Amino acid sequence: EINLMEELTLKGITQFYAYVEEKAKVHCLNTLFSKLQINQSIIFCNSFNRVELLAKKITELGYSCFYIHSKMQQAHRNRVFHDFRNGACRNLVSSDLFTRGIDIQSVNVVINFDFPKNSETYLHRVGRSGRFGHLGLAINLITYDDRFNLYKVEQELGTEIKPIPPAIDKGLYCA
Amino acid sequence: LQRANPVVQPDTAQQDKIHFIFNNLSNTNLEQKEKDLLATITDAHVPWLQQYVVVKRAAQESNYLSLYCQFVDRLDKKVSQFVKGVIRCTIDNIKILLGEDKVTSSVSLRSLLKNLGSWLGMLTLQKNKPILQRDLDLKQLVIDAYEKGRLIAVVPFIAKVLENVSNSRIFKPPNPWTMLILGLLAEIHPMTDLKLNVKFEVEVLCKNLNKDLKDIKPSCVLKNRTTVKEGNPDWNVRGADSGLGSIK
């Protein structure tokens, strides 16, 4: 059986976390979108419910976004993903569906709106396929309840997730 | 970039809104985002905005060039000379990149240059507007690149500028200006020891324009010019680049 984790790498991805309260997460997202230079982004939530709620909320706030989750019909999911890949919208709100990692060159920012429960999920969300990885940012919104998972993921993947600085060097995630 | 008048920067709150607008711009919300943008900036900010669109967006997001082109066309209807300023800014930044020594060794600088090439082509040739010699002399650019060992940066750039010229009523072949530049590339293509990737750029351009390279009359301009092939990134000649010529 192929171990899919071996095909994914975090090389080239600079990972940060922002320590927030649940109710401040959308505000934090707004700040990110006001400060960063985003080509396309994928925003992850931990349940299909939260995906739909978030997508609707941010659409009202003027975001260009589609959403996908496991409760949608496969054909519809594929259509949405295909359109996103072709640039029809800038951001995709998603639950955990990417068994092989994300393979879209123009996604330079991945946001874990909800922090994943385990390392494998984290790697599938943030990791890229190929030996050389991909230039990009991963921003993790961490609540008090997530703090041990953050540490655990860092240790298990042998990676570094730093606190988000006031300004992020564009060279880390823009061409 | 020295300017006679210093560029007026929007304040932090305004820049936040501008970043947000561009981060969420798409084919389906051009009208709304245009409104949002015009409500955020004043006339004084226009030069800053033109620079932002060119340097932060067009140069870096090749997948959204067509979208940004549509957006600046819309803004042009409400902001006097907006596109003209964007074109000027594009040319200024192209010249800056071409002036960088590292452009022959840096993949990322060449990537920016190519994106600006596509962008320039989109804003001018594809809209049947010329690129004036006094603004950017593409013919001289190729000749200088040949002499100075910069074909590796300039040929891909030119290829991007001309890439979609088939869509231009005026500039599609056999337009004389276009054929002049293609003729220069056709003169370069068969030269011995030319790096493979430079050769390929010429071939791919011809394919994009549905022209057979064999049907393009090569110019005779470069035979009177010289270049040093040793240690020159454009050529596969033993020197600084020993061993098999590497394709960078």
Side-chain angles (χ1 to χ4, degrees):
Chain A
E1 225 192 80
I2 303 169
N3 180 349
L4 291 170
M5 279 177 78
E6 277 171 358
E7 295 176 1
L8 297 173
T9 179
L10 294 172
K11 232 188 235 188
I13 310 284
T14 307
Q15 304 158 74
F16 293 118
Y17 72 85
Y19 201 48
V20 294
E21 285 183 50
E22 183 62 45
K23 61 182 193 246
K25 279 186 175 180
V26 174
H27 175 80
C28 185
L29 200 66
N30 290 338
T31 306
L32 292 174
F33 273 77
S34 302
K35 301 292 183 189
L36 298 177
Q37 207 169 293
I38 302 175
N39 187 330
Q40 284 186 290
S41 84
I42 300 189
I43 304 167
F44 285 102
C45 296
N46 283 354
S47 74
F48 78 90
N49 230 342
R50 286 172 68 79
V51 164
E52 281 197 27
L53 283 171
L54 182 63
K56 281 167 185 160
K57 174 79 193 168
I58 64 178
T59 302
E60 283 167 24
L61 295 173
Y63 286 68
S64 158
C65 85
F66 288 163
Y67 68 88
I68 51 173
H69 57 60
S70 50
K71 296 281 184 281
M72 292 164 96
Q73 295 226 341
Q74 183 73 51
H76 184 203
R77 235 189 283 165
N78 290 344
R79 170 99 245 159
V80 171
F81 188 70
H82 173 86
D83 290 346
F84 173 67
R85 182 194 272 275
N86 286 338
C89 80
R90 303 293 290 258
N91 311 293
L92 184 67
V93 184
S94 179
S95 63
D96 291 299
L97 298 170
F98 301 95
T99 52
R100 279 181 173 71
I102 302 153
D103 186 26
I104 305 177
Q105 176 88 331
S106 50
V107 170
N108 64 337
V109 177
V110 168
I111 298 170
N112 279 324
F113 191 83
D114 298 328
F115 195 71
K117 301 281 181 264
N118 61 55
S119 305
E120 188 171 353
T121 309
Y122 185 85
L123 193 61
H124 285 150
R125 290 183 184 185
V126 174
R128 297 307 190 116
S129 54
R131 277 169 56 221
F132 302 106
H134 180 96
L135 202 65
L137 275 187
I139 314 270
N140 299 288
L141 303 192
I142 304 292
T143 62
Y144 183 74
D145 294 332
D146 295 321
R147 68 202 187 288
F148 289 125
N149 278 333
L150 175 68
Y151 179 76
K152 190 182 75 167
V153 164
E154 248 189 321
Q155 296 306 302
E156 284 179 3
L157 296 180
T159 190
E160 225 194 319
I161 305 174
K162 298 171 275 219
I164 193 163
I168 298 178
D169 175 10
K170 297 284 188 321
L172 292 174
Y173 67 108
C174 300
Chain B
L1 189 67
Q2 303 284 20
R3 301 189 95 95
N5 309 308
V7 174
V8 177
Q9 281 208 27
D11 64 36
T12 309
Q14 288 167 322
Q15 286 195 37
D16 283 357
K17 288 208 181 77
I18 293 166
H19 296 148
F20 184 90
I21 287 165
F22 278 90
N23 285 337
N24 286 298
L25 190 68
S26 82
N27 278 327
T28 53
N29 64 19
L30 286 164
E31 194 181 333
Q32 182 58 51
K33 293 305 180 209
E34 179 201 334
K35 283 200 185 92
D36 292 344
L37 185 61
L38 294 174
T40 305
I41 58 164
T42 68
D43 283 342
H45 298 138
V46 168
W48 180 93
L49 182 65
Q50 289 162 334
Q51 179 83 343
Y52 175 79
V53 171
V54 171
V55 175
K56 302 294 183 187
R57 294 295 175 170
Q60 301 189 37
E61 294 172 353
S62 57
N63 53 317
Y64 279 123
L65 290 181
S66 164
L67 175 69
Y68 294 143
C69 191
Q70 287 178 66
F71 196 52
V72 304
D73 282 342
R74 281 185 157 260
L75 293 172
D76 196 54
K77 296 192 169 80
K78 302 271 171 61
V79 180
S80 155
Q81 312 273 2
F82 191 72
V83 168
K84 198 158 174 225
V86 170
I87 293 172
R88 165 117 314 274
C89 189
T90 304
I91 291 176
D92 287 348
N93 280 285
I94 286 168
K95 287 181 173 158
I96 290 172
L97 284 169
L98 289 170
E100 289 277 342
D101 287 332
K102 292 207 186 91
V103 78
T104 50
S105 54
S106 164
V107 173
S108 56
L109 285 183
R110 290 203 300 275
S111 173
L112 295 175
L113 188 58
K114 284 197 298 191
N115 291 343
L116 289 184
S118 296
W119 177 243
L120 182 64
M122 222 177 257
L123 293 173
T124 56
L125 307 180
Q126 281 178 68
K127 292 193 201 171
N128 298 311
K129 284 191 227 169
I131 298 171
L132 298 177
Q133 189 181 9
R134 67 162 186 261
D135 291 332
L136 191 67
D137 189 340
L138 295 185
K139 177 185 164 198
Q140 195 56 44
L141 206 58
V142 178
I143 296 170
D144 287 345
Y146 172 74
E147 290 180 321
K148 295 183 184 140
R150 302 172 130 240
L151 291 173
I152 193 174
V154 168
V155 172
F157 165 71
I158 301 268
K160 284 294 179 187
V161 175
L162 294 178
E163 190 175 47
N164 292 310
V165 88
S166 306
N167 296 334
S168 161
R169 190 175 30 94
I170 293 182
F171 291 100
K172 66 183 183 207
N175 172 285
W177 178 86
T178 304
M179 296 317 293
L180 188 81
I181 300 174
L182 289 178
L184 265 175
L185 298 179
E187 188 183 355
I188 290 170
H189 181 270
M191 288 181 176
T192 319
D193 296 324
L194 183 67
K195 276 266 169 69
L196 218 48
N197 45 352
V198 178
K199 261 177 133 68
F200 280 159
E201 289 282 352
V202 177
E203 289 171 20
V204 169
L205 175 62
C206 291
K207 185 156 174 286
N208 285 334
L209 300 184
N210 270 323
K211 293 275 314 163
D212 198 328
L213 189 54
K214 296 195 290 293
D215 296 337
I216 300 174
K217 184 159 177 286
S219 58
C220 300
V221 172
L222 299 172
K223 67 185 202 313
N224 296 325
R225 309 285 182 136
T226 54
T227 189
V228 176
K229 288 189 183 178
E230 284 82 30
N232 183 331
D234 294 342
W235 310 95
N236 286 320
V237 169
R238 300 270 160 101
D241 203 37
S242 61
L244 299 171
S246 57
I247 297 175
K248 288 211 174 76

